[in-house]
Structure formats: C-alpha cells, structure tokens
C-alpha cells in the first residue's frame, strides 16, 4: 500500500503480535519508545510512501505517567519527601524523553528497509495539555534542534519529519500551551522543522477540528489521504 496514518496507540494497547512474537503493552516510557520504533520500522518498510504517527505526544504521555508513578513510588519508599520524590521522578522522565527521541532520530535515519531506502516517517504533535505531554513536546524539539552526531559537529536529521498541530486557543500568547509553541518556533527557526498546521484557521482541515475536535494528520508530503466523515456526514468541502 501507499501512505499510512498509523494508529500506533491502538496497536500498543493490550499488546500485539509481530513476526510471530508477542509484544506485551509497554509498562514504561523507555519501553514504549523502543517498541514504537520496532513497529514503525517494520510496518513502514512494508509499504511505499509516507508513514505518519499521529499525535505522538498523547501516545507517549500515557506511558510517561506510568513511568512517573514507578519512579515516584520508589523514591517515597526510600524515605524521600513527596516534593523531593516528585522532583527526582520528573528529572528521570525528562531523561527518558531525551534518550527516547535521540534513539528515534538515530534509528529512523540509519536503519534502511528491505528496499534499501529509509522510510519517510512523519510525526504530528502539539495538542496534549497534560504535564508529560507538554514536557515531551518541548524536549522533542530541543533534541531535534541540537542535532545528532560527533560533539561539536551535530546536524539536524531528516526523519522523523515533525508537524506542529496549532490551535490558537491553546498556543496563542498567554494560553496554556504557549511554552510548547515557543519550543516549536525556536526549533523551526534553526532547522526548518516543524512544519505548521493550523487547526483553527480557514479551510477543510480546520473545519474538521472545529466541528468534531477530530484531528486528521497529514502525510509527510503535506497531502491528506481522504475527506473526513463523522456520523454519516462529511465535514468540509
């Protein structure tokens, strides 16, 4: 097949089978990064065209919360105060996010498919308002902005291609996710990523979001696979 908006969150939920091996649902953020990269590389290499992971921030924040609870409970059992346990656990989550995104950027740009090419992988994000969703988005753009490679010679990588889902009611000045917007903007100034997709402007895509709060992510080429239907009716032109 050609082009795919891959529902990785649904695949991970409750576990799945791949290549005759059963994968349990990840219990930590670290494991989620590893399993997602395995699935993406396997699935993307079996098709042509772009491969998009929609709203990756919402997927990863779910597993970040699982890791946080593990870290927090561990430090509480060691006798730390709730404030100290929370602070250290947050630092661990930040490091997990950093290593996870670095791992993705290395794998997606060095592991070729059976055809000898590198799958065109896109991720969209920007709408998760949770503590870990916001943190993950900021770190994702910081990692990409810094680049990969020998110290002092780092360069931004090609994949994954990042697409920022912009909602003026969330990302505008003084709004809840303005810090995430600033991180994306700083990254875009340095690396030309992320691309920006307005969900609250005019046109077909914003009409879907305004009417149904449904986000249909684009392919890496910025094309959309089909019109969006909800409850038997078509949204937009």
């Amino acid at each position: 097949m050609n082009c795919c908006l891959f529902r990785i969150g649904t695949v991970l939920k409750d576990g799945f089978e791949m290549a005759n091996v059963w994968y349990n649902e990840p219990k930590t953020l670290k494991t989620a990064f590893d399993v997602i990269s395995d699935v993406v590389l396997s699935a993307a290499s079996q098709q042509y065209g772009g491969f998009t992971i929609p709203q990756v921030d919402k997927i990863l924040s779910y597993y970040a919360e699982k890791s946080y609870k593990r870290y927090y409970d561990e430090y509480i059992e060691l006798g730390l105060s709730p404030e100290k346990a929370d602070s250290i656990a947050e630092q661990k989550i930040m490091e997990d996010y950093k290593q996870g995104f670095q791992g993705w950027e290395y794998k997606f740009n060095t592991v070729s498919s059976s055809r000898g090419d590198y799958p065109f992988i896109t991720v969209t994000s920007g709408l998760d308002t949770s503590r870990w969703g916001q943190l993950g988005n900021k770190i994702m753009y910081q990692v990409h902005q810094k680049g990969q490679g020998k110290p002092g010679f780092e360069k931004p990588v090609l994949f994954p291609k990042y697409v920022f889902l912009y909602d003026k009611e969330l990302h505008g000045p003084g709004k809840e996710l303005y810090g995430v917007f600033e991180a994306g903007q700083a990254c875009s100034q340095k690396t030309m990523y992320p691309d920006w997709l307005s969900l609250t402007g005019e046109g077909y895509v914003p009409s879907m979001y305004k009417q149904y709060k449904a986000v249909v992510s684009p392919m890496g080429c910025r094309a959309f696979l089909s019109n969006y239907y909800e409850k038997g009716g078509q949204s937009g032109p």
Side-chain angles (χ1 to χ4, degrees):
M1 61 183 176
N2 185 38
C3 297
C4 179
L5 300 178
F6 198 81
R7 298 176 64 183
I8 188 67
T10 302
V11 172
L12 297 183
K13 185 65 176 176
D14 299 325
F16 61 96
E17 185 174 354
M18 182 172 70
N20 298 316
V21 175
W22 178 259
Y23 283 70
N24 291 319
E25 181 178 0
K27 294 181 174 61
T28 67
L29 181 59
K30 282 184 177 180
T31 306
F33 270 110
D34 290 339
V35 173
I36 290 173
S37 63
D38 288 347
V39 173
V40 167
L41 289 172
S42 177
S45 68
Q46 298 179 49
Q47 65 163 61
Y48 294 96
F51 188 94
T52 297
I53 310 174
Q55 300 191 73
V56 73
D57 48 346
K58 294 189 175 184
I59 297 169
L60 292 173
S61 65
Y62 174 76
Y63 296 102
E65 178 64 22
K66 287 179 176 290
S67 284
Y68 169 78
K69 288 180 178 178
R70 280 195 170 197
Y71 292 140
Y72 180 83
D73 290 345
E74 178 183 343
Y75 296 128
I76 288 294
E77 290 178 3
L78 291 174
L80 276 65
S81 68
E83 294 77 12
K84 189 64 173 179
D86 174 76
S87 177
I88 298 177
E90 182 180 64
Q91 291 296 319
K92 297 280 285 185
I93 295 298
M94 292 175 65
E95 188 62 27
D96 289 350
Y97 264 126
K98 181 179 179 181
Q99 292 181 357
F101 286 123
Q102 286 177 335
W104 277 9
E105 293 201 343
Y106 273 112
K107 282 187 179 180
F108 294 162
N109 292 275
T110 61
V111 181
S112 62
S113 71
S114 57
R115 300 187 302 272
D117 62 354
Y118 298 97
F120 196 121
I121 298 168
T122 298
V123 300
T124 68
S125 67
L127 298 178
D128 194 329
T129 59
S130 71
R131 176 184 183 182
W132 307 125
Q134 294 187 54
L135 181 65
N137 275 318
K138 292 175 183 178
I139 294 175
M140 179 176 70
Y141 292 126
Q142 290 168 4
V143 167
H144 183 70
Q145 183 176 340
K146 186 176 186 298
Q148 308 297 339
K150 184 179 179 180
F153 298 90
E154 296 94 343
K155 295 187 297 183
V157 297
L158 182 59
F159 299 120
K161 178 176 181 178
Y162 298 105
V163 177
F164 193 108
L165 303 172
Y166 179 83
D167 179 342
K168 66 180 180 181
E169 296 302 323
L170 293 175
H171 300 109
K175 299 298 184 179
E176 186 175 7
L177 297 181
Y178 186 66
V180 174
F181 168 78
E182 289 185 310
Q185 188 179 52
C187 183
S188 187
Q189 290 172 347
K190 296 288 186 179
T191 71
M192 298 182 69
Y193 278 179
D195 286 347
W196 298 83
L197 176 64
S198 174
L199 301 176
T200 48
E202 299 297 328
Y204 166 58
V205 174
S207 72
M208 296 186 293
Y209 183 72
K210 292 174 183 177
Q211 187 171 357
Y212 301 113
K213 287 299 178 184
V215 180
V216 178
S217 297
M219 303 310 305
C221 59
R222 300 186 181 89
F224 290 83
L225 296 185
S226 64
N227 291 342
Y228 180 78
Y229 292 86
E230 179 88 11
K231 299 178 182 177
Q234 179 180 344
S235 173

